[in-house]
Amino acid sequence: MNYLLILIGGFFGAILRYLIGLSIHPLSNGFPIQTFLINIIGCFFLGFFLPMAKVKLKPEYTLLIGTGFTGAFTTFSTFSLENVILMDEKKLLVSLAYIISSLVVGISLAYLGFKVAEKFNKVKGETSS
């Protein structure tokens, strides 16, 4: 059953990623804005979702949404390959900006999502531990 939950979540995460990627126009300097936005949205979402799920949901939902959906929605492999391509095209500053902004913004949004969930749980009178 766990595999089925991950499969279902992954299906919807991959489809949403594809649709968002189609709706965002690439930047002319080669910065992979589609993957960047998808990954930072995923960072905030997972940072928010996991503390909320820990308090409010059965573990199966973490597999469905956390592992399946978010795992298929975000992508480290595409991020890595895009950087290799940028470096190969001698767009080193764009690659460096992509790497640094992905790390700084991604970790910051994961932290923000975590803190928002923490405050939401406290407002509701629940704790995440």
Side-chain angles (χ1 to χ4, degrees):
M1 185 60 167
N2 289 346
Y3 295 118
L4 183 59
L5 291 170
I6 294 168
L7 176 75
I8 293 167
F11 171 80
F12 287 106
I15 295 296
L16 182 60
R17 176 176 166 230
Y18 176 72
L19 293 173
I20 290 174
L22 286 177
S23 68
I24 301 169
H25 298 291
L27 298 180
S28 59
N29 67 353
F31 188 93
I33 192 71
Q34 300 98 327
T35 305
F36 175 75
L37 290 175
I38 288 165
N39 282 341
I40 64 169
I41 290 167
C43 289
F44 177 83
F45 178 75
L46 197 59
F48 177 80
F49 173 76
L50 287 181
M52 296 297 288
K54 185 177 179 183
V55 173
K56 301 180 181 312
L57 298 177
K58 295 179 183 178
E60 292 82 13
Y61 290 106
T62 301
L63 289 175
L64 175 74
I65 299 168
T67 304
F69 178 82
T70 310
F73 179 69
T74 60
T75 175
F76 187 73
S77 56
T78 301
F79 164 79
S80 299
L81 182 59
E82 287 168 342
N83 275 292
V84 168
I85 291 168
L86 287 169
M87 289 179 215
D88 187 58
E89 294 174 349
K90 307 293 188 243
K91 295 180 179 178
L92 301 178
L93 289 177
V94 175
S95 177
L96 186 61
Y98 184 30
I99 292 166
I100 291 170
S101 62
S102 292
L103 289 173
V104 171
V105 175
I107 292 170
S108 297
L109 286 178
Y111 178 79
L112 179 63
F114 187 85
K115 289 300 181 181
V116 169
E118 193 175 69
K119 286 195 183 293
F120 186 85
N121 283 336
K122 286 180 184 176
V123 167
K124 295 291 186 180
E126 300 164 344
T127 61
S128 60
S129 36

